[in-house]
Amino acid sequence: MTPRMEAARRTTLTRERVLDAAVTLADRDGIGALTIRALATELGTKPMTLYHHVAGKDAIIDGVVDRVFAEIDDPPDDLPWREAIRHRCRSARAVLRRHPWAPPLMESRQNPGPATLAHHEAVLACLRRGGLDWQLVAHAYALLDAFVYGFALQEASLPFEGTGEIAGLAEGIIDAFPDGAYPTFVEFTTRHVLQPGYSFGVSFEFGLDLLLDGIDSTR
Amino acid sequence: MTPRMEAARRTTLTRERVLDAAVTLADRDGIGALTIRALATELGTKPMTLYHHVAGKDAIIDGVVDRVFAEIDDPPDDLPWREAIRHRCRSARAVLRRHPWAPPLMESRQNPGPATLAHHEAVLACLRRGGLDWQLVAHAYALLDAFVYGFALQEASLPFEGTGEIAGLAEGIIDAFPDGAYPTFVEFTTRHVLQPGYSFGVSFEFGLDLLLDGIDSTR
DNA sequence: GGACGCTATCGTACTTAGTACGATCGAGCA
DNA sequence: TGCTCGATCGTACTAAGTACGATAGCGTCC
């Protein structure tokens, strides 16, 4: 292959392009499908070529996590702190729904990238701007992020938002129960989960309101 | 090896013993070290032998997750619902600190085992006993578990509870910052995290109180 | 009591994945 | 024209999951 062909085929490989492809691949086929070989194929190259742009698979994961943080909106400066934090948490949830493989990785990596740090900085500054003392900032941030990540973790295991798929899953599980087992669980499912209009996601707004109210009243 | 030697060496291999060893191994060496081969070595046998007692690695993970659920105390029947739920959430946190590899697995599996289902049943029944309607039960359970799992996820990435290790980690990160970068982050760390007596864990009780209060007042 | 078959065990080998090592190849420069 | 350098990639080693089939005690039935 001549260099001209190579150049025409695609712009030169770069760390950024590798990470782009990694996110795309994980979104499309799941984090389990994010292998060095699959990534190379996706980029039209061979496995070992990637090693000239990233240090290894761990570095790819670190980079990908930083990408996800970069997608989350910072709390807007021109909103009162409560509304700013609400905006940020909603944005985080939306991002984590686009990247359902991300939550377990985001909290378990110990090499935060620049976007990760910048985002933490913005959130801390916003809480501080709201008049919270350091102790309360610590509590509030731990609480809010536990909620956001935990909720995302739960949502990631659900088939899809909205309609009958959750119902199908629930029915499948319940049908396998021995008679009379788990009565509250069964009643909860039939009386609530299987009702038309049910949505797991609405609990997010409920929880977010509750947390913000609680933090505010502690201030 | 004669059968007598075999029998003396260890009681016959069984699904339960395989899962026991899997939990032990994950606790000791991390979930990444939980391989079929390592598990076989741990049990003094060979990889393929395990396949007569479990269907494969996925089945081991499912079984291990159910084990973890089994360790979590159900909400005690003889306590008011708030205190019962508090007890259960504290127990869950303690269990997840013993098994820091578990949170990402617990919510992402879709084959709940009997202990998992029994535990959900007990929690739902307790909330119901507290007079919450189905809608609020749904909100409360989603919220409480998001918090518990999310908090556990955060704690899992911390070195250890208590003393100077978190400080060391924080200092390592901060020292690498360019001058003047992330000012709030730096101030938060120096003014709060690095202070003697700091503990991430106390935010758990703060959050749990806040959630229980909020849910109660919505009732 | 001897052959039969069941069940747990395990040796071998195939597949997928991460990645170390070193060859190649084209571009720019002396 | 030949040298050097950076990007690319062929080859191969290691680790891991697991399919296939052989083996070997043990109880059972004629």
Side-chain angles (χ1 to χ4, degrees):
Chain A
M1 184 177 326
T2 80
R4 237 64 49 88
M5 284 171 64
E6 180 64 30
R9 189 168 53 105
R10 62 191 72 256
T11 49
T12 311
L13 203 55
T14 174
R15 173 189 158 87
E16 298 310 307
R17 284 178 28 77
V18 171
L19 295 181
D20 281 345
V23 171
T24 302
L25 222 169
D27 287 345
R28 199 182 58 212
D29 302 332
I31 191 70
L34 177 53
T35 69
I36 295 285
R37 291 162 205 263
L39 196 49
T41 303
E42 181 88 5
L43 288 162
T45 178
K46 297 299 159 66
M48 288 319 291
T49 304
L50 304 184
Y51 283 80
H52 278 265
H53 302 97
V54 292
K57 184 155 189 189
D58 275 357
I60 294 177
I61 301 285
D62 283 340
V64 150
V65 165
D66 205 48
R67 286 296 180 93
V68 172
F69 268 106
E71 285 186 42
I72 302 174
D73 289 347
D74 285 348
D77 277 335
D78 55 351
L79 257 49
W81 75 273
R82 264 184 71 145
E83 293 317 306
I85 293 292
R86 186 194 306 277
H87 177 97
R88 176 267 179 184
C89 290
R90 282 180 175 154
S91 170
R93 177 185 170 223
V95 168
L96 296 184
R97 263 155 54 101
R98 284 203 296 277
H99 309 301
W101 41 266
L105 301 179
M106 294 174 75
E107 283 300 309
S108 59
R109 293 270 125 186
Q110 77 280 48
N111 281 68
T116 306
L117 291 168
H119 181 70
H120 286 325
E121 167 70 20
V123 172
L124 288 171
C126 177
L127 291 172
R128 200 58 186 152
R129 181 161 61 81
L132 283 66
D133 63 28
W134 292 117
Q135 172 72 56
L136 188 52
V137 164
H139 286 337
Y141 205 179
L143 179 50
L144 286 165
D145 268 12
F147 171 64
V148 169
Y149 293 132
F151 200 90
L153 207 58
Q154 293 183 297
E155 271 192 313
S157 72
L158 265 33
F160 212 73
E161 182 65 10
T163 50
E165 300 189 59
I166 299 178
L169 181 71
E171 272 177 338
I173 292 177
I174 283 190
D175 284 350
F177 286 175
D179 263 12
Y182 316 117
T184 317
F185 192 103
V186 170
E187 192 178 356
F188 174 66
T189 305
T190 54
R191 300 270 286 261
H192 187 70
V193 176
L194 295 181
Q195 293 301 308
Y198 168 79
S199 153
F200 181 79
V202 300
S203 289
F204 184 81
E205 291 296 325
F206 172 87
L208 188 52
D209 276 336
L210 193 152
L211 295 188
L212 291 172
D213 285 349
I215 292 166
D216 196 21
S217 71
T218 310
R219 204 160 47 118
Chain B
M1 186 176 326
T2 81
R4 236 64 48 88
M5 283 171 64
E6 181 64 31
R9 188 168 53 106
R10 61 193 72 258
T11 49
T12 311
L13 203 55
T14 175
R15 173 189 157 86
E16 298 311 307
R17 284 178 26 79
V18 171
L19 295 182
D20 280 346
V23 171
T24 302
L25 221 169
D27 287 345
R28 198 183 58 212
D29 301 332
I31 190 70
L34 177 52
T35 68
I36 296 284
R37 292 164 205 262
L39 196 49
T41 303
E42 180 87 8
L43 288 162
T45 177
K46 297 298 159 71
M48 289 318 291
T49 304
L50 304 184
Y51 283 80
H52 279 264
H53 302 98
V54 292
K57 184 154 187 188
D58 275 357
I60 294 176
I61 302 285
D62 284 339
V64 151
V65 166
D66 205 49
R67 284 295 179 93
V68 172
F69 268 107
E71 284 185 42
I72 302 175
D73 289 347
D74 285 347
D77 276 335
D78 55 351
L79 255 49
W81 75 272
R82 266 185 69 143
E83 293 316 306
I85 293 293
R86 185 193 307 276
H87 177 97
R88 177 266 179 184
C89 289
R90 283 180 175 155
S91 170
R93 176 182 172 227
V95 168
L96 296 184
R97 263 154 54 99
R98 284 203 295 278
H99 310 300
W101 41 267
L105 301 179
M106 293 174 76
E107 283 299 308
S108 60
R109 294 269 124 186
Q110 77 282 48
N111 281 67
T116 306
L117 292 167
H119 182 69
H120 286 326
E121 167 71 19
V123 172
L124 289 170
C126 177
L127 291 172
R128 202 53 189 153
R129 179 160 62 79
L132 283 65
D133 63 26
W134 292 118
Q135 172 73 56
L136 188 52
V137 165
H139 286 335
Y141 205 179
L143 178 51
L144 287 164
D145 268 11
F147 170 65
V148 170
Y149 293 131
F151 200 90
L153 206 57
Q154 293 183 298
E155 271 193 311
S157 72
L158 265 35
F160 212 73
E161 183 66 11
T163 50
E165 302 191 57
I166 298 178
L169 180 71
E171 272 177 338
I173 292 178
I174 283 191
D175 284 349
F177 286 175
D179 263 12
Y182 316 118
T184 317
F185 193 103
V186 170
E187 192 178 357
F188 174 66
T189 305
T190 54
R191 300 270 286 261
H192 187 70
V193 176
L194 295 182
Q195 292 302 309
Y198 168 79
S199 154
F200 181 80
V202 298
S203 288
F204 184 81
E205 292 295 325
F206 172 87
L208 188 52
D209 275 337
L210 193 153
L211 294 187
L212 291 172
D213 285 349
I215 292 165
D216 197 19
S217 71
T218 311
R219 204 159 47 117

